[in-house]
Amino acid sequence: MINYFYFLFLFLLTACGTPPIHTDPSEPTIDANYLSAEFTACGQVFNGIGICEIEKGKDLSSLNIKVQGYFDGAITMAASCAVDRRLPSKVRYQKSARYTVPLSGDATDTCIFTVLVSPEYPDEKNQPVEISSLKGHLYIKVVERGWKTFNKHLKIKEGTNASETIAIKADGREAEVQLKDASCGVDYKATHQIVNGKFSIRVKDFMRVVPLKTCPVSGVFFIDGRPTRMTIFIDGYSRTFITLAIPTVSVSGNNLTIVAENSVAAVGVGSSMVVSNTEKFTIDPTKSYLIRALTVRGRNIVGVFSKGRVTWIQ
Amino acid sequence: MDTVSQILDAIFNIATMSTTGAIIRIALLVFGGIAFFFIKNWINKKLAEAAHKKTEEGRNKDQAGVEPENRDLDDAAKKAEDDIEKAIKEREGKKE
């Protein structure tokens, strides 16, 4: 039996080195058009897709857009509302920092802010793992003072089976709805009955086929002749794409433990990020934290930890 | 499991060997282990290089695509909003 120690010796000899970055069998989110870059803006946390409103003439810096970096890496940005306003097209970040986007100037027209986060994992050059970037879009809707608005962002699987329904609170008898987006073939006009203070629009009614692309659907509904402007920002992603499972989070005293599925390469709390699918972090349980799990293919889930509870944003 | 044990014993049971035999086998084992370690590392290095090359290519391609995608999406959003504003004006015109 003593000779089996030789095998142990061989095993130890080959097992040395840094802990491996977990691979993810999924297709890259960027190929699947599954938007997953984490950012905060207008006081909200978004995972890949979001909408912010800003009153015409106000400074765009009031949106306070911050993009989450993972480990070290690069952030690539574009926004037509920032032309000639010195928004850098690419910046580098370090140590999982949140980068404050220097978007400024008067808000004049609606525009889209696009961001691409390209993380560089520790020791990735020495590991046989392909790392993908994460993309996100923020719809910056410029509104006039006094406008009534309704905004909704959704991630929907491409194809004809969209089961999502958008419920809208409204007072009145009926709502005349119009939706348009030539880029995704949306041209919808219908009257909806308002029942129990709300009416619903099924996605498949105005988008028979959800395309593999991002659709900025604009709309309006009239109730008693008064318009409410709508924006429905849809991320149509690959039908074969599987979203990341919600990790298990447990809190004991000042410790918060995240246990994510095996394909998760990194988990983090706040600005702390580690290469592992499970980790214990020290927190102040009375404070709020952003929790995240990330795969090398860009699949990402963000949670807001507050008062002992986690609200997940897929 | 017994068969595996027997094979391993036959190879490594140094107690039943002559001194020279034992030294040769231990030397083979050590050199074999080292060779295996280096080959494994070499393969890993090559795989890592290939993966890193793909990562870099992907990053460059995706970064180059940000601006055109933003422009297309921006144009689409503005067009959709313009269409809706026209529809609102039309309806308000009819009402008047």
Side-chain angles (χ1 to χ4, degrees):
Chain A
M1 282 301 285
I2 195 164
N3 298 309
Y4 295 126
F5 284 108
Y6 290 109
F7 272 107
L8 187 65
F9 161 74
L10 272 178
F11 176 77
L12 289 174
L13 202 63
T14 56
C16 293
T18 50
I21 300 169
H22 288 207
T23 55
D24 180 7
S26 167
E27 63 186 306
T29 50
I30 212 153
D31 293 348
N33 196 47
Y34 188 86
L35 301 170
S36 62
E38 178 194 329
F39 54 90
T40 54
C42 53
Q44 296 176 72
V45 183
F46 299 111
N47 189 356
I49 186 167
I51 305 173
C52 281
E53 272 185 15
I54 184 164
E55 216 175 280
K56 201 168 198 166
K58 281 201 170 170
D59 199 287
L60 289 161
S61 63
S62 65
L63 293 172
N64 195 21
I65 307 169
K66 289 181 179 180
V67 178
Q68 181 64 47
Y70 312 101
F71 306 108
D72 294 347
I75 292 173
T76 314
M77 294 165 283
S80 68
C81 44
V83 172
D84 301 330
R85 287 173 192 163
R86 277 175 276 158
L87 178 76
S89 61
K90 191 175 169 182
V91 291
R92 287 205 55 86
Y93 66 86
Q94 286 182 316
K95 295 177 181 172
S96 304
R98 280 170 84 195
Y99 172 72
T100 303
V101 178
L103 193 61
S104 63
D106 291 348
T108 51
D109 287 310
T110 281
C111 67
I112 306 286
F113 168 75
T114 302
V115 66
L116 184 86
V117 182
S118 305
E120 292 164 14
Y121 283 66
D123 200 40
E124 68 169 37
K125 282 183 186 171
N126 299 316
Q127 299 202 39
V129 183
E130 206 183 320
I131 317 282
S132 304
S133 300
L134 303 89
K135 191 168 61 184
H137 296 300
L138 174 68
Y139 193 118
I140 301 172
K141 188 179 173 71
V142 176
V143 296
E144 302 270 4
R145 187 185 287 259
W147 276 8
K148 285 180 83 178
T149 55
F150 172 85
N151 302 316
K152 180 87 179 166
H153 60 269
L154 296 159
K155 291 178 182 175
I156 305 176
K157 269 193 181 177
E158 62 165 336
T160 53
N161 291 324
S163 58
E164 288 79 0
T165 298
I166 299 162
I168 302 165
K169 284 182 186 169
D171 292 323
R173 205 166 50 84
E174 57 183 27
E176 294 168 50
V177 180
Q178 276 194 60
L179 295 168
K180 285 185 188 289
D181 174 18
S183 71
C184 292
V186 176
D187 190 0
Y188 175 79
K189 199 171 180 179
T191 301
H192 291 252
Q193 299 303 312
I194 300 169
V195 182
N196 297 328
K198 66 173 185 179
F199 71 94
S200 300
I201 308 170
R202 292 187 307 179
V203 169
K204 68 177 167 192
D205 285 344
F206 66 85
M207 197 177 263
R208 202 180 57 78
V209 182
V210 176
L212 184 66
K213 65 189 286 196
T214 311
C215 300
V217 180
S218 218
V220 63
F221 62 86
F222 294 95
I223 297 172
D224 300 328
R226 286 193 306 273
T228 298
R229 284 160 175 87
M230 304 166 74
T231 301
I232 304 169
F233 200 19
I234 294 174
D235 171 20
Y237 65 90
S238 168
R239 74 191 75 196
T240 55
F241 183 79
I242 297 163
T243 55
L244 200 59
I246 290 172
T248 306
V249 173
S250 54
V251 182
S252 172
N254 288 342
N255 292 321
L256 182 147
T257 307
I258 304 174
V259 181
E261 64 179 85
N262 205 41
S263 56
V264 165
V267 289
V269 173
S271 60
S272 203
M273 196 95 192
V274 290
V275 177
S276 174
N277 68 322
T278 170
E279 185 70 24
K280 189 188 278 185
F281 297 90
T282 305
I283 59 155
D284 175 353
T286 61
K287 289 185 177 170
S288 294
Y289 292 90
L290 285 176
I291 298 171
R292 54 191 67 89
L294 173 73
T295 79
V296 290
R297 296 311 227 172
R299 292 197 296 157
N300 184 23
I301 189 162
V302 186
V304 182
F305 172 84
S306 181
K307 292 172 187 164
R309 290 185 60 190
V310 183
T311 309
W312 294 104
I313 306 163
Q314 192 98 42
Chain B
M1 202 59 203
D2 280 351
T3 318
V4 176
S5 298
Q6 281 166 8
I7 293 167
L8 292 175
D9 280 342
I11 299 169
F12 295 110
N13 200 344
I14 297 163
T16 61
M17 294 174 202
S18 68
T19 312
T20 316
I23 288 167
I24 289 169
R25 286 189 193 205
I26 289 168
L28 279 174
L29 181 67
V30 170
F31 282 114
I34 291 167
F36 177 69
F37 175 72
F38 278 107
I39 290 166
K40 182 180 169 283
N41 270 6
W42 183 80
I43 292 169
N44 263 349
K45 198 180 162 205
K46 289 289 162 197
L47 288 172
E49 277 172 9
H52 188 63
K53 196 178 164 208
K54 274 190 173 179
T55 298
E56 285 298 317
E57 283 170 0
R59 273 177 192 150
N60 292 338
K61 184 177 132 263
D62 295 337
Q63 285 168 0
V66 168
E67 184 104 34
E69 186 177 348
N70 176 265
R71 211 181 308 123
D72 290 349
L73 202 53
D74 203 272
D75 289 346
K78 284 188 169 94
K79 165 97 175 65
E81 280 202 6
D82 286 349
D83 288 347
I84 286 299
E85 287 307 316
K86 270 183 209 158
I88 293 170
K89 278 197 179 101
E90 261 176 37
R91 197 181 186 284
E92 283 171 348
K94 270 184 201 168
K95 210 169 71 177
E96 282 165 14

